[in-house]
C-alpha cells in the first residue's frame, strides 16, 4: 500500500512540475483571471463624449452610528475579503475535467438481515477492521470529475469514484453474516467494492471577480458489494449486494487568496447532505487549489485538502 501511495505522489509531483514550467514560460503573456493575452487588441469603436442631462443634487447626511455598525457587519462577509485578487472561473460553454486521488481513512460496518431464515440466528454487526481486516488507513482512492458551464450561472457536473478493498484476518470474536457463522480465530477473507456516481446541477448564487458561492442538487447512485468467506476455502463465501439512489443538496464557496505571476491560490469549502432510500449522510470538504495558466483561456490546477464523509443506512437489508 505504501508503494501505491508513493507512486501517486511521484505522479502528482511530475504533473505539478510540468504545469509550473509551462506557466513560468507563458505567464507574462496572459491575464491571470481569464487566461487571455494581455496585449490582445480588439476592434472597438471610439467612445464619444456624451453630456448627461443636468439633475438636482440632494444632500443627505447619513446616521453615523448606523453607518459604523453596518460597516463592521460588512467586514464579516467573506465575499469582501481580498478584493484585489482574481479567481479564474469557467465561462459559458467551458468545462473543467480533472482526476483526483484521496489518501483515505475508511471505516465501515455492515449487517445483512436481523434474523437469518435458515438458522434463526441474529446477524452480527460486522466491523470492516475488527472482523474482516480491511485496512482503515493508507487507502488510495481515485476519482474523476467533469463540470460543464452551459450558462453563465448554471453548470452540470458528474463524478465517478470506485473503491475496491480486500483483506484477510483472524477475528478475535465470532460473528454471523447472513446464514454463515465465522468463529473466533478462524481465517476470514473478504472483499468490498463500491462504485459511486454523482450527477447534478450547480447554480452560482453570487459571483464576482474574486469569489463564487454556489448551491447544487445532485443524484447519487451507490453500488456496494461485500463478499465474506473462510480463508481456508472450507466455509462457503457470502455475497451481499446493495444499491442506493440518493438526493444530495449542498453549498460550496471558492475564494481567491492571491495571484502570483499569473497563477492563483484559492480557498474552497463545500458541504452537502444526502437522503432518501432509508439512508442519511453528510459530506464536508475544505481545500486549497493552485491554478496555473497553461494555454490561452485554459488552466491546470493542483488541489489538496481534507474531506470527511459519512453515510448510514437506517434499515437492515435482507
Amino acid at each position: 500500500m505504501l508503494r501505491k501511495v508513493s507512486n501517486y505522489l511521484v505522479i502528482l509531483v511530475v504533473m505539478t512540475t510540468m504545469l509550473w514550467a509551462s506557466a513560468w514560460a507563458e505567464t507574462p503573456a496572459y491575464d491571470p483571471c481569464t487566461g487571455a493575452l494581455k496585449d490582445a487588441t480588439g476592434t472597438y469603436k471610439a467612445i464619444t463624449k456624451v453630456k448627461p442631462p443636468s439633475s438636482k443634487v440632494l444632500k443627505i447626511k447619513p446616521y453615523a452610528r448606523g453607518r459604523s455598525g453596518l460597516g463592521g457587519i460588512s467586514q464579516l462577509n467573506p465575499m469582501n475579503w481580498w478584493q484585489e485578487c482574481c479567481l479564474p472561473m469557467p465561462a459559458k460553454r467551458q468545462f473543467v475535467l480533472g482526476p483526483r486521488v484521496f489518501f483515505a481513512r475508511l471505516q465501515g460496518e455492515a449487517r445483512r438481515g436481523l434474523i437469518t431464515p435458515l438458522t434463526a440466528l441474529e446477524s452480527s454487526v460486522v466491523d470492516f477492521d475488527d472482523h474482516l481486516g480491511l485496512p482503515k488507513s493508507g487507502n488510495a482512492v481515485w476519482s474523476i470529475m467533469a463540470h460543464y458551464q452551459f450558462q453563465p450561472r448554471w453548470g452540470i457536473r458528474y463524478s465517478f469514484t470506485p473503491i475496491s478493498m480486500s483483506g484477510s484476518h483472524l477475528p478475535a470474536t465470532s460473528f454471523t453474516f447472513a446464514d454463515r457463522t465465522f468463529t473466533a480465530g478462524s481465517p476470514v477473507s473478504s472483499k468490498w467494492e463500491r462504485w459511486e456516481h454523482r450527477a447534478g446541477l450547480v447554480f452560482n448564487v453570487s459571483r464576482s471577480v474574486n469569489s463564487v458561492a454556489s448551491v447544487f442538487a445532485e443524484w447519487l447512485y451507490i453500488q456496494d458489494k461485500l463478499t465474506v468467506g473462510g480463508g481456508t476455502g472450507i466455509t462457503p463465501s457470502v455475497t451481499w449486494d446493495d444499491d442506493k439512489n440518493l438526493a444530495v443538496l449542498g453549498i460550496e464557496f471558492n475564494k481567491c487568496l492571491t495571484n502570483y505571476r499569473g497563477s492563483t491560490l484559492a480557498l474552497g469549502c463545500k458541504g452537502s447532505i444526502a437522503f432518501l432510500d432509508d439512508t442519511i449522510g453528510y459530506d464536508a470538504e475544505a481545500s486549497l487549489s493552485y491554478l496555473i495558466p497553461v494555454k490561452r483561456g485554459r488552466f491546470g490546477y493542483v488541489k489538496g485538502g481534507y474531506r470527511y464523509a459519512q453515510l448510514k443506512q437506517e434499515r437492515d437489508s435482507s
Side-chain angles (χ1 to χ4, degrees):
M1 186 58 65
L2 292 177
R3 181 177 299 178
K4 290 183 179 180
V5 174
S6 62
N7 291 338
Y8 283 120
L9 288 176
V10 170
I11 293 174
L12 289 176
V13 170
V14 172
M15 292 176 62
T16 305
T17 305
M18 294 175 61
L19 291 174
W20 176 265
S22 176
W24 188 270
E26 299 184 10
T27 291
Y30 294 95
D31 184 84
C33 191
T34 62
L37 287 170
K38 289 184 177 180
D39 56 352
T41 57
T43 56
Y44 299 98
K45 295 182 179 180
I47 300 177
T48 57
K49 294 183 179 180
V50 179
K51 183 177 180 181
S54 59
S55 57
K56 186 177 180 180
V57 178
L58 300 178
K59 295 183 178 180
I60 301 176
K61 184 177 180 181
Y63 184 51
R65 181 177 297 179
R67 181 178 59 182
S68 61
L70 294 176
I73 294 176
S74 63
Q75 294 178 0
L76 300 178
N77 185 2
M79 305 293 287
N80 297 328
W81 301 346
W82 296 288
Q83 292 282 350
E84 68 282 358
C85 192
C86 183
L87 177 66
M89 290 173 281
K92 183 180 178 180
R93 296 181 181 177
Q94 289 186 338
F95 65 91
V96 179
L97 178 66
R100 298 179 294 178
V101 178
F102 299 96
F103 301 101
R105 179 180 174 87
L106 300 174
Q107 295 179 343
E109 294 179 346
R111 170 186 279 187
R112 183 178 177 183
L114 288 175
I115 304 296
T116 60
L118 297 180
T119 61
L121 295 175
E122 182 177 354
S123 294
S124 309
V125 176
V126 180
D127 187 272
F128 281 15
D129 181 40
D130 296 338
H131 293 140
L132 305 181
L134 299 177
K136 281 186 177 180
S137 58
N139 300 294
V141 179
W142 69 271
S143 175
I144 187 168
M145 184 274 297
H147 178 101
Y148 178 69
Q149 195 76 20
F150 62 90
Q151 290 292 334
R153 302 183 70 178
W154 287 93
I156 186 170
R157 182 166 58 194
Y158 170 79
S159 66
F160 171 65
T161 305
I163 301 175
S164 181
M165 299 172 58
S166 59
S168 299
H169 190 55
L170 300 175
T173 58
S174 302
F175 65 93
T176 300
F177 187 66
D179 58 348
R180 300 287 189 275
T181 299
F182 300 88
T183 59
S186 61
V188 174
S189 62
S190 58
K191 184 176 183 180
W192 174 52
E193 295 175 295
R194 164 173 285 190
W195 288 15
E196 179 181 303
H197 302 265
R198 285 175 177 260
L201 294 173
V202 183
F203 177 71
N204 297 331
V205 179
S206 176
R207 179 171 178 171
S208 64
V209 176
N210 51 70
S211 63
V212 58
S214 308
V215 294
F216 58 89
E218 295 176 333
W219 164 71
L220 173 60
Y221 178 65
I222 298 177
Q223 294 175 292
D224 277 312
K225 182 179 180 180
L226 178 62
T227 302
V228 182
T232 60
I234 299 176
T235 304
S237 61
V238 179
T239 301
W240 170 63
D241 286 298
D242 184 45
D243 57 352
K244 307 176 184 68
N245 289 278
L246 306 178
V248 180
L249 297 176
I251 185 171
E252 58 182 314
F253 172 75
N254 293 279
K255 178 69 178 179
C256 177
L257 299 180
T258 184
N259 297 121
Y260 178 72
R261 293 184 177 271
S263 302
T264 303
L265 179 65
L267 170 68
C269 299
K270 181 179 178 181
S272 64
I273 182 172
F275 54 94
L276 294 183
D277 206 2
D278 296 320
T279 304
I280 189 71
Y282 56 88
D283 191 333
E285 179 181 324
S287 62
L288 288 175
S289 301
Y290 193 68
L291 297 94
I292 307 169
V294 179
K295 291 184 178 180
R296 185 180 305 178
R298 298 177 182 177
F299 287 82
Y301 69 94
V302 179
K303 182 178 180 180
Y306 180 80
R307 178 185 178 187
Y308 182 83
Q310 184 174 10
L311 191 67
K312 183 179 179 181
Q313 190 167 351
E314 299 295 339
R315 63 176 172 85
D316 293 281
S317 298
S318 57

